[in-house]
Amino acid sequence: MEWPDEVSEVNMKPPKRLRIVPSAAETALEGQEKRQGAVDVSIIMPVYNASCWLDECLQAILDQDFTGTMELSVFDDASTDDSRKVVETWRERLEGRDISLVFSGHNSDQPRGVGYAKNKAVAQSCGKYLCFQDADDIMLPQRVRLQYEASVLHSSSLIGCKVRRLPEGSTQRYTRWINTITQDQLLTQVYTSHGPTVIMPTWFCSRDWFSTVGWFSEESKSLRQGGLVIRVDHCLVVYRYHEKATTHSVKEETIWNLRVGFLQERVISQWESFTIWNAGKQGRKLYRCLNATNQKKVKAFCDVDKNKIKKGFYTYEDSKERPKPKIPVLHYKDASPPFIICVKLDMTAGVLEENLNSLQMKEGIDFFHFN
């Protein structure tokens, strides 16, 4: 099936429940005004070469026990496989379950990215609430119902859930972290390399909240705008791990830079001074990536390594200042909070966690995890 570069709907004579996606001539505001409030929940699903997973994904949508009204909004980001054909084969079954299908895409030479596709899927949808679904994942039957109930109670929050990894046992540390961090840590540990704490495949929120915090770009604006995050403590998504996942397409350095910027904006800007916990590679890298104002706030590094402590200081050799900055290196018991912890969680057989507990500090006030 050939589509124009950007299409609104492939079926010229749509079934009864099919809504035509607004044409390019309609403004986004006009389209939103026409569609707002038509259904309770829009399932937002970007698609790119996902044909091998779509049957399982779409069957799971059919199996939802939610009794409100739903639609599935799909935007195909220039797939080269038969993803579009597979989605079309599910139209009758979806509509038989009273789930309307809004389906569009483009035929450009290259995909424009998952953020672009999600924005398009949101723009063409009409639900009061948005349930984000990756085409390679599987939602469990109670997902929409439980997250909808949580979102109604917390309309200014991003709602997540626990997950199960497929294949079983993949990314064990990451999966354990997703499922076991506390409600408070959903905010305090958002700066870690694992972040965001409410992972994208589990996102659910009100349309009003999404419109307030902004649309997708390379970085999420959810917490920058003061939004809260909440996790439904049930496993509601089977989160598939495979080499073609979009997660792998984001460069590590891009993620690092976004995290550093977020940390400086939301945490370090509020402090007069602080200590970096880890005088090794990761701690020094964080220091070098801070802006000049925040570098001057670093009063010390701290560590448990006797050799680093014995040396006494870290010299920032690349600094243009003369003399070059020399930052003291102390034992953690001799250092003072607040701390930015640049030691990986769950990698020291509990030693890091014991050391932090011994200082009787509060996470989110006296320290934040960065790695």
Side-chain angles (χ1 to χ4, degrees):
M1 180 182 298
E2 292 297 326
W3 287 8
D5 180 60
E6 189 89 38
V7 300
S8 291
E9 181 55 53
V10 297
N11 193 337
M12 298 301 292
K13 295 182 179 180
K16 182 179 179 180
R17 286 190 53 80
L18 176 65
R19 294 182 296 102
I20 302 298
V21 180
S23 69
E26 293 180 293
T27 65
L29 178 60
E30 290 171 341
Q32 182 175 342
E33 288 173 347
K34 291 178 181 180
R35 301 187 306 271
Q36 186 70 35
V39 297
D40 294 321
V41 177
S42 295
I43 298 171
I44 305 301
M45 193 167 79
V47 170
Y48 175 68
N49 290 349
S51 61
C52 61
W53 300 298
L54 279 170
D55 283 338
E56 198 169 8
C57 176
L58 294 170
Q59 181 62 54
I61 292 173
L62 281 184
D63 292 340
Q64 291 301 295
D65 63 11
F66 180 62
T67 57
T69 53
M70 289 189 291
E71 71 172 0
L72 173 62
S73 179
V74 177
F75 187 86
D76 183 87
D77 192 21
S79 291
T80 57
D81 65 1
D82 61 349
S83 290
R84 297 172 181 177
K85 182 178 179 181
V86 173
V87 172
E88 276 296 328
T89 64
W90 281 82
R91 183 185 295 278
E92 185 175 347
R93 279 172 282 183
L94 289 165
E95 291 170 354
R97 170 67 169 77
D98 210 26
I99 301 172
S100 55
L101 173 64
V102 187
F103 187 20
S104 65
H106 68 93
N107 269 342
S108 302
D109 293 337
Q110 296 292 330
R112 297 175 185 173
V114 67
Y116 173 87
K118 286 178 179 176
N119 285 338
K120 286 290 189 178
V122 171
Q124 70 188 20
S125 70
C126 71
K128 297 176 184 177
Y129 294 85
L130 306 175
C131 175
F132 291 90
Q133 173 69 25
D134 286 353
D136 54 351
D137 294 335
I138 306 161
M139 59 169 68
L140 297 182
Q142 65 272 40
R143 181 192 176 186
V144 172
R145 174 174 56 84
L146 292 180
Q147 288 192 295
Y148 174 82
E149 291 171 355
S151 196
V152 168
L153 292 175
H154 306 280
S155 60
S156 296
S157 299
L158 178 65
I159 311 298
C161 65
K162 294 183 177 182
V163 302
R164 175 165 61 86
R165 249 338 197 172
L166 189 67
E168 297 284 353
S170 56
T171 65
Q172 289 184 349
R173 288 181 56 245
Y174 179 51
T175 305
R176 182 165 57 247
W177 175 80
I178 291 170
N179 291 334
T180 60
I181 55 176
T182 66
Q183 177 60 43
D184 288 340
Q185 288 172 331
L186 292 176
L187 288 172
T188 61
Q189 293 195 10
V190 72
Y191 313 103
T192 67
S193 55
H194 279 335
T197 52
V198 173
I199 62 171
M200 171 60 70
T202 72
W203 281 21
F204 193 109
C205 63
S206 69
R207 180 180 295 275
D208 289 342
W209 182 88
F210 181 81
S211 298
T212 299
V213 302
W215 298 68
F216 289 103
S217 61
E218 282 192 75
E219 56 182 310
S220 167
K221 296 181 180 179
S222 58
L223 295 179
R224 291 185 185 278
Q225 300 292 338
L228 298 177
V229 288
I230 291 172
R231 185 184 65 216
V232 175
D233 282 331
H234 294 272
C235 177
L236 303 179
V237 173
V238 178
Y239 182 18
R240 199 185 301 270
Y241 179 82
H242 58 92
E243 62 181 12
K244 294 181 180 180
T246 55
T247 305
H248 302 311
S249 66
V250 183
K251 294 181 179 179
E252 183 177 344
E253 200 64 19
T254 298
I255 297 173
W256 170 276
N257 290 335
L258 291 173
R259 289 170 52 221
V260 172
F262 199 3
L263 182 72
Q264 292 188 100
E265 176 187 319
R266 297 286 292 182
V267 177
I268 297 176
S269 65
Q270 310 301 313
W271 290 344
E272 293 183 359
S273 62
F274 66 99
T275 301
I276 295 177
W277 188 307
N278 185 358
K281 181 179 179 181
Q282 293 296 305
R284 297 195 304 269
K285 180 179 179 181
L286 172 61
Y287 173 84
R288 293 193 300 270
C289 291
L290 298 175
N291 62 41
T293 298
N294 288 331
Q295 284 180 352
K296 294 183 184 299
K297 293 182 180 182
V298 179
K299 56 188 174 183
F301 290 89
C302 72
D303 214 294
V304 295
D305 188 311
K306 294 180 180 178
N307 293 326
K308 294 185 179 74
I309 297 169
K310 184 177 181 180
K311 185 176 180 180
F313 57 86
Y314 162 71
T315 303
Y316 182 26
E317 297 291 352
D318 294 335
S319 175
K320 296 180 180 179
E321 293 185 29
R322 295 295 182 271
K324 297 177 180 179
K326 290 188 176 183
I327 316 300
V329 178
L330 310 173
H331 190 278
Y332 77 89
K333 289 184 178 179
D334 298 321
S336 56
F339 296 98
I340 298 296
I341 312 294
C342 291
V343 181
K344 290 184 178 181
L345 288 162
D346 198 19
M347 288 289 282
T348 62
V351 174
L352 170 65
E353 290 75 12
E354 288 178 7
N355 290 340
L356 286 171
N357 289 336
S358 72
L359 298 178
Q360 297 183 325
M361 298 186 300
K362 182 172 177 59
E363 185 173 356
I365 296 177
D366 300 306
F367 68 93
F368 284 84
H369 285 284
F370 186 69
N371 261 14

